C-alpha cells in the first residue's frame, strides 16, 4: 500500500469517528487522539525525516492535506454539536408559565375573607373608604370614648380579654370594631363615609354560635344633615346590593351607649326570602347587627361639634353573615380547617 493509501485509510476512519461523536466533550478527546502528539498522523510526520529530500516534500504535502481534512471535519462537527447542545439546554431551561397542572388542588381565600372582600367592595361602590385599627386597644378607645364610662353596666355586654400591659384593665383585645370609629374621627375631619372591618375578641367558650375570635365590619357616616332616615336608607341599599334584589332591611329599637337612638337591624330571611320558616322563627327576618345615630358624647370625645355634624354607625358580624348566607349551623366549622368544608366555598 502506498503512503497516500495509508493516509486515505487514516482520514476515512477519522471522518467516520468524527461523525459518530455525539458530544463536544467526546469530540475534544477525539481531536487529541486524531491530531495530537501520539496520533498516527504525528507518527507519520516523524517518519518524514527518514525520507529523501525529494520524497519528503511530496509526503509532507500529502500529510498536511490529510490533516486539514480531519481538522475541517472536527470543526464542522464541533459547530453542529455546540448548536445542538445549546438548543437542548434552552429547551430544558424553558419555563412555561402558562401551563395548567391538572389534578393538583389549588387553595383559595377563606370564606370569611371572601365575604369581607365582598362587603368592602359593596361599600366602596357606595362611596365609602376602608379603614383599619389595632386589635390590641386601650380601654379608652374600646369603651370610654364610646360613652361607656368605668362601671357602666353596658360593659357587661362585652366579656373582655384584658392584656397585662400598663395599669390593670387598661389594655385589652378589642371586643368590637367600634373603637376604629374613634380612631377615624380623631385623624380626619368630616365628612366621613368609612367602613372598618376586622378581628374582634370576646371571652367566650366556643360553641355552635360563639367563638372567642370573630370578625365584624363597622360603618360610620358623619356629615351635615345626616338623619335616622339616612341610616335606614343606607342599610336598605346595602342589603339589596349585597344580598340581591328583593332583600330588605328593618330596624327594631335597641340600646348601645355610643348611639342614640339605637336599633338592631334585620334583613329578609335568606332561607325563606321573607315567607317565614324555622330558621327565622316564622318572622321572615334574620337579625344581622346593631346601629344608631352617633351619640353626642362620642362627638365630644373626638372634638366634633354636634351642632354642626350628625352621623350614624352600624356594625355586624361577618362570620354570622357568612353562616346565614350559606346555612352553616356551627360557627366552629369556620376555624376547623377541614378541607372538605373549605373546598365548598
Ligand atoms: N359594636 C356593636 C357591637 O359589637 C355594634 C354596633 C356598631 C352598634 C355600631 C351600633 C353601632 O355590639
Amino acid at each position: 500500500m502506498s503512503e497516500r493509501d495509508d493516509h486515505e485509510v487514516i482520514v476515512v476512519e477519522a471522518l467516520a469517528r468524527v461523525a459518530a461523536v455525539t458530544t463536544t466533550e467526546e469530540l475534544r478527546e477525539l481531536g487529541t487522539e486524531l491530531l495530537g502528539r501520539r496520533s498516527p498522523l504525528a507518527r507519520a510526520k516523524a517518519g518524514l525525516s527518514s525520507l529523501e529530500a525529494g520524497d519528503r516534500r511530496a509526503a509532507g504535502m500529502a500529510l498536511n492535506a490529510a490533516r486539514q481534512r480531519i481538522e475541517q471535519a472536527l470543526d464542522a462537527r464541533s459547530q453542529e454539536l455546540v448548536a445542538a447542545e445549546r438548543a437542548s439546554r434552552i429547551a430544558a431551561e424553558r419555563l412555561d408559565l402558562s401551563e395548567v397542572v391538572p389534578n393538583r388542588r389549588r387553595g383559595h381565600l377563606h370564606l370569611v375573607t371572601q365575604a369581607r372582600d365582598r362587603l368592602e367592595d359593596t361599600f366602596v361602590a357606595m362611596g365609602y373608604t376602608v379603614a383599619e385599627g389595632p386589635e390590641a386597644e386601650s380601654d379608652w378607645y374600646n369603651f370610654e370614648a364610646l360613652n361607656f364610662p368605668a362601671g357602666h353596666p353596658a360593659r357587661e355586654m362585652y366579656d373582655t380579654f384584658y392584656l397585662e400591659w400598663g395599669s390593670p384593665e387598661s389594655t385589652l383585645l378589642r371586643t368590637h370594631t367600634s373603637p376604629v370609629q374613634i380612631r377615624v374621627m380623631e385623624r380626619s375631619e368630616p365628612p366621613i363615609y368609612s367602613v372598618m372591618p376586622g378581628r374582634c375578641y370576646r371571652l367566650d367558650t366556643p360553641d355552635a354560635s360563639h367563638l372567642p375570635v370573630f370578625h365584624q365590619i363597622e360603618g360610620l357616616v358623619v356629615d351635615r344633615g345626616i338623619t335616622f332616615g339616612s341610616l335606614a336608607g343606607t342599610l336598605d341599599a346595602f342589603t339589596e346590593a349585597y344580598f340581591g334584589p328583593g332583600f330588605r332591611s328593618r330596624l327594631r329599637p335597641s340600646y348601645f351607649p355610643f348611639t342614640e337612638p339605637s336599633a338592631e337591624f334585620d334583613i329578609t330571611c335568606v332561607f325563606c326570602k321573607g315567607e317565614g320558616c324555622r330558621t327565622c322563627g316564622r318572622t321572615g327576618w334574620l337579625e344581622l347587627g346593631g346601629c344608631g345615630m352617633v351619640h353626642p358624647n362620642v362627638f365630644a370625645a373626638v372634638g366634633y361639634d354636634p351642632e354642626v355634624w350628625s352621623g350614624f354607625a352600624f356594625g355586624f358580624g361577618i362570620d354570622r353573615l357568612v353562616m346565614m348566607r350559606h346555612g352553616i349551623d356551627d360557627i366552629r366549622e369556620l376555624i376547623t380547617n377541614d378541607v372538605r368544608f373549605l373546598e365548598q366555598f
Side-chain angles (χ1 to χ4, degrees), residues 157-158 175-178 181 202 216 218-219 256 258-259 263 289-292 313-316:
M157 291 160 50
Y158 304 90
T175 59
H176 51 174
T177 42
S178 299
Q181 289 184 29
R202 286 185 205 172
Q216 282 191 343
E218 190 88 8
F256 299 97
F258 43 97
T259 47
C291 61
F314 57 87
F316 55 87

Side-chain angles (χ1 to χ4, degrees), residues 238-284:
F238 158 73
T239 305
E240 178 149 22
Y242 189 80
F243 289 95
F247 281 86
R248 305 298 310 274
S249 66
R250 73 169 186 184
L251 300 173
R252 283 177 295 111
S254 186
Y255 175 79
F256 299 97
F258 43 97
T259 47
E260 180 59 35
S262 301
E264 305 275 350
F265 76 95
D266 298 342
I267 56 160
T268 308
C269 175
V270 295
F271 300 105
C272 63
K273 307 272 189 304
E275 302 268 303
C277 67
R278 237 164 25 126
T279 313
C280 61
R282 317 242 165 256
T283 61

Side-chain angles (χ1 to χ4, degrees), residues 191-213:
I192 290 172
Y193 291 80
S194 290
V195 285
M196 299 144 255
R199 210 178 277 145
C200 305
Y201 302 81
R202 286 185 205 172
L203 214 151
D204 277 322
T205 305
D207 64 24
S209 50
H210 295 88
L211 283 177
V213 184

Side-chain angles (χ1 to χ4, degrees), residues 219-237:
L220 175 69
V221 167
V222 181
D223 206 340
R224 290 175 215 270
I226 298 294
T227 66
F228 200 84
S230 324
L231 168 59
T234 299
L235 290 176
D236 218 34

Side-chain angles (χ1 to χ4, degrees), residues 28-327:
R28 207 173 311 116
E29 282 164 20
L30 183 62
T32 316
E33 193 187 322
L34 296 178
L35 302 174
R37 276 193 298 123
R38 281 196 280 268
S39 63
L41 283 183
R43 259 184 277 118
K45 192 172 179 190
L48 289 180
S49 53
S50 60
L51 297 179
E52 281 176 33
D55 294 339
R56 201 189 293 156
R57 191 178 137 76
M61 280 168 62
L63 261 179
N64 276 342
R67 188 181 181 89
Q68 263 175 28
R69 285 172 67 193
I70 296 176
E71 274 171 357
Q72 276 165 10
L74 284 167
D75 272 358
R77 186 67 187 142
S78 171
Q79 277 175 31
E80 283 169 19
L81 290 177
V82 165
E85 284 174 8
R86 186 156 180 274
S88 70
R89 198 181 66 240
I90 288 171
E93 286 173 357
R94 180 164 175 267
L95 282 183
D96 183 353
L97 299 178
S98 69
E99 208 165 20
V100 175
V101 182
N103 296 327
R104 181 147 332 146
R105 282 198 192 173
R106 301 178 64 184
H108 59 70
L109 293 178
H110 189 276
L111 179 54
V112 172
T113 310
Q114 292 178 37
R116 173 189 163 151
D117 286 353
R118 263 202 72 212
L119 288 164
E120 287 181 14
D121 289 350
T122 307
F123 281 107
V124 166
M126 290 165 70
Y128 287 60
T129 59
V130 179
E132 284 184 313
E135 292 170 20
E137 267 295 9
S138 66
D139 178 90
W140 192 79
Y141 283 104
N142 197 81
F143 290 127
E144 194 84 29
L146 288 165
N147 197 32
F148 297 79
H152 192 288
R155 287 189 177 218
E156 303 288 317
M157 291 160 50
Y158 304 90
D159 295 307
T160 308
F161 280 111
Y162 287 98
L163 300 175
E164 289 184 8
W165 184 266
S167 52
E169 306 206 342
S170 63
T171 314
L172 45 81
L173 294 177
R174 66 179 179 196
T175 59
H176 51 174
T177 42
S178 299
V180 192
Q181 289 184 29
I182 304 296
R183 291 186 175 273
V184 167
M185 286 191 277
E186 266 183 350
R187 67 177 178 235
S188 41
E189 292 293 317
I192 290 172
Y193 291 80
S194 290
V195 285
M196 299 144 255
R199 210 178 277 145
C200 305
Y201 302 81
R202 286 185 205 172
L203 214 151
D204 277 322
T205 305
D207 64 24
S209 50
H210 295 88
L211 283 177
V213 184
F214 57 99
H215 304 81
Q216 282 191 343
I217 185 163
E218 190 88 8
L220 175 69
V221 167
V222 181
D223 206 340
R224 290 175 215 270
I226 298 294
T227 66
F228 200 84
S230 324
L231 168 59
T234 299
L235 290 176
D236 218 34
F238 158 73
T239 305
E240 178 149 22
Y242 189 80
F243 289 95
F247 281 86
R248 305 298 310 274
S249 66
R250 73 169 186 184
L251 300 173
R252 283 177 295 111
S254 186
Y255 175 79
F256 299 97
F258 43 97
T259 47
E260 180 59 35
S262 301
E264 305 275 350
F265 76 95
D266 298 342
I267 56 160
T268 308
C269 175
V270 295
F271 300 105
C272 63
K273 307 272 189 304
E275 302 268 303
C277 67
R278 237 164 25 126
T279 313
C280 61
R282 317 242 165 256
T283 61
W285 297 98
L286 290 173
E287 182 187 320
L288 187 60
C291 61
M293 303 304 292
V294 180
H295 196 290
N297 289 354
V298 173
F299 281 152
V302 296
Y304 282 9
D305 182 351
E307 296 300 320
V308 179
W309 305 108
S310 59
F312 63 76
F314 57 87
F316 55 87
I318 301 177
D319 317 73
R320 293 202 54 223
L321 175 87
V322 155
M323 290 172 71
M324 283 187 202
R325 227 176 141 222
H326 298 285

